[in-house]
Amino acid sequence: MVASEILLKAWRLMCMAKSMAETYEANRSVCKYVHSTSRGHEAIQLATAFQLLPCDYVSPYYRDESLLLGIGFTPYEMMLQLLAKRDDPFTGGREYYSHPNYRGSDKPNIIHQSSATGMQAIPTTGIAQGIKYLETIRSVKLKKGPNEENPVVICSLGDASVTEGEVSEAFQFAALHQLPVIFLVQDNGWGISVSSEEARTSNASDMIKGFKGISRISIDGSDFSKSYEIMRNVLQEVRTERHPFLVHAKVPLLGHHTSGVRKEFYRSEEDLAKHDLDDPGPKLRNFLLEHGVPESELTEIEKDARETIASQFSLAAAAPEPDPSTVSDHVFVDTPVKTEAGERSPAGREKIPMVDAALFAIREIMEEYPEAVLYGQDVGRRLGGVFREAATLAEQFGDHRVFNTAIQEAYIIGSTVGMSALGIKPIVEVQFADYIYPGLNQLVTEISKSCYLSCGKFPVQTLIRVPIGAYGGGGPYHSGCVESTLLTIKGIKIVYPSTAADMKGLMKAAFLDPNPVVMLEHKGLYWSKVPGTEEAKNAEPSSDYIIPLGKGRVVLPANEEAVENGESCCVITYGMGVYWASAAARSYPGRVEVIDLRTLFPLDEELVFSTVKKHGKCLVLTEEQQNNSFAEALAGRISKACFRFLDAPVEVQGALNLPAVPMNILLEQAMLPSAEKVAKRLGIILNA
């Protein structure tokens, strides 16, 4: 039997949730931003919330306002988000209603998550992955309950969202690694206007049978007392036995899908009446009356709830709006790496290729930081990466720190959100740049927005390694360049080293940066096997060598006399372009200056613009297909910033504008730039 004080608390909050929904509906002109309410879902949400501890993590979905009430947020705090007010404690007026995030010691923590339905399953499972890792290494960072209870993770989902492929990736990883996560699936039979019969062959409880190792139960989520007892048992089981669980809760949908998609648009009177029969409020009210609670007491609670909501809504409506001058705050948090440090070229050290520089950098990182982990396809024991860039690391640091994943680019990338929230520093690898596209949903929707929309509470510290570029017949799916695609994503940093020393120094900086960093690593430079790329090998820098992101490098300076006589030009490039440009410059001794950007975002504009102004002629060189590329955009910025100093239009040279890199080596060569093609273009620019 559930204690009477818990039942009365649930009744009070159900009355508040009902009054909130009614107040929002009655004030539609004030509540102008799109929102959903929890009407019909209150019982299962409160039953779950009441049993969570401050050591736990929960990821509510957009209909979980009752869950938020249950863990202790006030209606006023939630209304500030509803109305996008300045003092919205979650996102400062930047995010939809019931899209919370929270760091604190008095409530369960909540990572930032999007409203892309189902997308939260991967980041939230990443939290459970992180908890298991901290338990494995017996870390003091692991928070426990007041009586040393183990933490659990709740991932709340609507039943329509479980058809998403990324939800299945989360289920698979949770089952395989036996993670302490509870997938709470609230099934109201609708996915906007799409009925469950139209959208799926089975509900979440039936679907989960295919994932061995995940326990499951189906319940009536409109019955508070039964839901409370079942969730108590489920939570206790996961706290002690440390395995995943799926709770499928059948609930009615009593409100609109959202304030903008009205229930009368697509639901019949018969359907609405059927759902009304399972309203959790009257069910709980009747239960309390049957167990001796006076009707006058319940009525007084209803009255108090209405008055409280009315008062708090008035306060929220009168609260100040955000200051427009703060709109650009919190895109990134500050990085500790500000200046180049350590020894770049220690005397007496043998030159190493870029692939070894990466391996040695990660080895030194993992030796110094026990919170560093490395995972991705084939990076674990036996192979150590398809390019052997992680060779021996699993043997040295163990399978719990260096391990393989399935072919799950979305999970590899998105799980770092949850890992980072726990203070773990994940280094993950996508096997080829052409394979990053399944992970872009997580990179764009979750990772890139987390810092900004949480007002800096949840920056995602992750280093995502991506081998990139063409390398002698790799073909259409192993040769592509993706930097322009990535650079359209705001809220991430992009690094692109072209030498072993830069690889090591930039990787250290990228790891220490508290923001998400994608490191693009050219396969053709890994071992310097491509003719003309021998200079990619360097003496291994010292273990403390580090290069701040956003600082380019002068690879080849021009002769001062050529500059003074107006006989010089510069090439702004990166990656393989550094070697094409350097080789081409030999045809014009002293007349060509080559700049290696090293970091594409943040960009060293100071170096780029000062170099272009010095020479007056510029070629931006890229391996990407030229049209609509980063290189073309950069040329436009250079033209604007340096217009008064230019002696000729800024030129761009890239690959032919083809859909893919062809397999045949001769066709590949015909598509891509080369030293000879660059030299020809430089001749035209220098003689202009």
Side-chain angles (χ1 to χ4, degrees):
M1 179 67 181
V2 181
S4 60
E5 62 268 22
I6 292 174
L7 293 168
L8 287 172
K9 181 181 178 183
W11 171 245
R12 183 178 299 107
L13 293 181
M14 280 191 192
C15 291
M16 284 189 175
K18 183 173 185 287
S19 184
M20 288 161 73
E22 292 170 346
T23 300
Y24 303 162
E25 186 67 14
N27 293 272
R28 289 180 64 186
S29 61
V30 179
C31 304
K32 57 188 176 183
Y33 302 107
V34 173
H35 58 272
S36 298
T37 73
S38 60
R39 289 291 288 121
H41 295 232
E42 300 97 329
I44 183 60
Q45 291 180 20
L46 293 171
T48 302
F50 288 173
Q51 300 176 89
L52 296 179
L53 302 173
C55 64
D56 295 332
Y57 282 79
V58 59
S59 287
Y61 89 118
Y62 60 83
R63 204 176 292 284
D64 277 349
E65 65 179 356
S66 288
L67 190 151
L68 297 178
L69 289 170
I71 62 176
F73 290 106
T74 67
Y76 175 70
E77 289 174 312
M78 296 162 62
M79 290 169 183
L80 289 173
Q81 186 175 52
L82 170 82
L83 303 176
K85 295 293 189 173
R86 181 193 69 189
D87 298 328
D88 157 24
F90 307 125
T91 71
R94 300 176 179 193
E95 180 65 283
Y96 294 105
Y97 181 57
S98 196
H99 285 61
N101 60 83
Y102 182 74
R103 271 196 193 275
S105 58
D106 62 327
K107 299 179 183 69
N109 279 251
I110 307 171
I111 61 170
H112 174 267
Q113 61 182 29
S114 73
S115 61
T117 51
M119 298 306 98
Q120 72 270 34
I122 286 177
T124 307
T125 304
I127 300 172
Q129 178 186 345
I131 287 173
K132 181 175 181 179
Y133 176 71
L134 293 177
E135 289 175 342
T136 300
I137 66 172
R138 302 177 185 271
S139 173
V140 296
K141 290 185 175 183
L142 182 68
K143 293 194 306 180
K144 291 206 170 190
N147 297 309
E148 290 301 299
E149 296 98 335
N150 289 320
V152 298
V153 180
I154 300 283
C155 179
S156 181
L157 298 156
D159 197 61
S161 72
V162 301
T163 56
E164 284 277 8
E166 293 186 17
V167 176
S168 293
E169 289 193 22
F171 288 166
Q172 176 72 31
F173 200 94
L176 183 65
H177 294 273
Q178 289 296 283
L179 302 181
V181 57
I182 299 168
F183 298 101
L184 173 60
V185 181
Q186 300 174 57
D187 182 1
N188 60 32
W190 288 97
I192 309 184
S193 68
V194 180
S195 69
S196 58
E197 292 78 14
E198 291 176 277
R200 48 197 185 274
T201 59
S202 58
N203 63 36
S205 179
D206 293 330
M207 174 185 175
I208 207 68
K209 293 177 185 177
F211 297 90
K212 296 180 180 179
I214 299 182
S215 300
R216 65 187 178 94
I217 190 170
S218 285
I219 65 173
D220 177 1
S222 67
D223 185 317
F224 174 80
S225 182
K226 290 181 181 178
S227 294
Y228 184 89
E229 292 178 350
I230 288 170
M231 289 308 299
R232 177 173 56 195
N233 294 336
V234 170
L235 278 156
Q236 182 59 31
E237 181 174 328
V238 177
R239 286 196 199 283
T240 56
E241 298 182 20
R242 315 309 276 158
H243 66 76
F245 213 114
L246 184 138
V247 176
H248 171 248
K250 196 75 177 73
V251 294
L253 177 60
L254 303 182
H256 306 289
H257 169 68
T258 67
S259 56
V261 181
R262 318 290 291 171
K263 57 187 178 184
E264 58 268 18
F265 291 173
Y266 61 94
R267 296 177 67 185
S268 66
E269 290 295 330
E270 181 184 8
D271 177 72
L272 292 168
K274 179 182 176 182
H275 280 246
D276 280 340
L277 294 175
D278 283 321
D279 188 335
K283 280 188 175 182
L284 180 57
R285 195 178 201 280
N286 291 336
F287 183 87
L288 289 167
L289 289 172
E290 290 169 5
H291 287 79
V293 179
E295 183 164 356
S296 59
E297 183 176 350
L298 299 181
T299 302
E300 184 64 24
I301 289 172
E302 286 183 271
K303 178 175 176 290
D304 287 346
R306 286 195 299 271
E307 291 174 352
T308 297
I309 297 309
S311 173
Q312 295 196 14
F313 184 77
S314 294
L315 290 173
E321 300 288 342
D323 181 351
S325 69
T326 65
V327 68
S328 296
D329 293 353
H330 306 300
V331 176
F332 296 112
V333 292
D334 199 28
T335 176
V337 181
K338 306 289 189 184
T339 58
E340 187 169 353
E343 197 170 354
R344 182 180 177 90
S345 301
R349 287 204 178 181
E350 183 179 340
K351 287 186 176 183
I352 60 170
M354 282 180 63
V355 71
D356 284 351
L359 173 64
F360 299 161
I362 294 177
R363 178 181 296 154
E364 290 170 359
I365 286 168
M366 299 191 78
E367 287 172 344
E368 185 173 356
Y369 297 96
E371 61 269 35
V373 296
L374 172 67
Y375 56 97
Q377 296 166 34
D378 294 303
V379 304
R381 199 181 297 270
R382 292 188 298 275
L383 188 58
V386 295
F387 301 104
R388 304 294 287 154
E389 72 283 4
T392 73
L393 292 177
E395 284 82 356
Q396 182 174 352
F397 298 105
D399 295 331
H400 64 297
R401 292 188 69 189
V402 182
F403 57 91
N404 293 325
T405 66
I407 302 173
Q408 293 182 331
E409 288 83 6
Y411 190 89
I412 291 167
I413 290 174
S415 60
T416 67
V417 176
M419 297 281 276
S420 176
L422 289 164
I424 298 166
K425 302 177 188 293
I427 305 169
V428 298
E429 183 178 311
V430 174
Q431 202 165 77
F432 291 93
D434 306 81
Y435 298 166
I436 199 171
Y437 296 102
L440 284 186
N441 202 3
Q442 290 292 322
L443 189 61
V444 174
T445 307
E446 307 295 339
I447 290 177
S448 72
K449 294 176 172 61
S450 183
C451 185
Y452 182 69
L453 293 179
S454 69
C455 293
K457 292 192 291 295
F458 286 99
V460 180
Q461 182 167 16
T462 180
L463 171 54
I464 302 169
R465 300 183 63 195
V466 184
I468 192 170
Y471 175 34
Y477 307 110
H478 299 78
S479 307
C481 292
V482 298
E483 58 264 32
S484 289
T485 298
L486 295 175
L487 285 161
T488 64
I489 305 169
K490 313 309 174 191
I492 65 174
K493 300 182 179 182
I494 313 292
V495 178
Y496 203 138
S498 65
T499 69
D502 288 343
M503 172 74 86
K504 187 172 184 183
L506 290 169
M507 185 168 284
K508 293 286 186 78
F511 172 79
L512 293 172
D513 198 305
N515 303 288
V517 181
V518 177
M519 176 167 274
L520 303 176
E521 306 172 14
H522 201 291
K523 303 186 298 293
L525 300 177
Y526 265 154
W527 296 281
S528 293
K529 291 182 178 179
V530 175
T533 63
E534 293 78 10
E535 292 302 313
K537 293 182 179 180
N538 302 132
E540 184 189 356
S542 60
S543 61
D544 60 345
Y545 182 61
I546 198 161
I547 304 168
L549 306 189
K551 295 295 181 183
R553 179 174 71 96
V554 179
V555 175
L556 179 68
N559 185 295
E560 287 187 15
E561 183 178 354
V563 175
E564 291 174 3
N565 293 336
E567 298 174 344
S568 65
C569 71
C570 62
V571 181
I572 310 298
T573 189
Y574 55 94
M576 188 62 78
V578 171
Y579 299 94
W580 293 328
S582 297
R586 296 190 192 108
S587 299
Y588 312 97
R591 299 180 64 189
V592 179
E593 186 153 328
V594 179
I595 299 296
D596 181 359
L597 294 174
R598 300 198 295 194
T599 304
L600 306 187
F601 189 86
L603 184 68
D604 192 346
E605 289 188 345
E606 181 180 355
L607 175 61
V608 171
F609 295 161
S610 63
T611 303
V612 174
K613 289 175 181 178
K614 180 171 67 173
H615 296 282
K617 296 178 181 179
C618 173
L619 172 65
V620 181
L621 176 62
T622 180
E623 184 175 331
E624 279 195 296
Q625 291 91 328
Q626 182 174 327
N627 280 11
N628 304 317
S629 65
F630 160 67
E632 285 197 333
L634 178 56
R637 289 161 65 186
I638 291 171
S639 296
K640 183 176 180 180
C642 305
F643 180 75
R644 292 188 299 109
F645 299 86
L646 292 174
D647 298 322
V650 177
E651 297 281 347
V652 180
Q653 187 170 12
L656 299 181
N657 297 301
L658 305 176
V661 180
M663 175 74 78
N664 181 275
I665 291 176
L666 293 178
L667 294 177
E668 177 188 274
Q669 291 172 350
M671 177 187 180
L672 298 177
S674 66
E676 294 74 22
K677 294 175 185 177
V678 175
K680 184 177 179 180
R681 180 67 70 87
L682 287 176
I684 296 171
I685 294 170
L686 286 167
N687 294 318

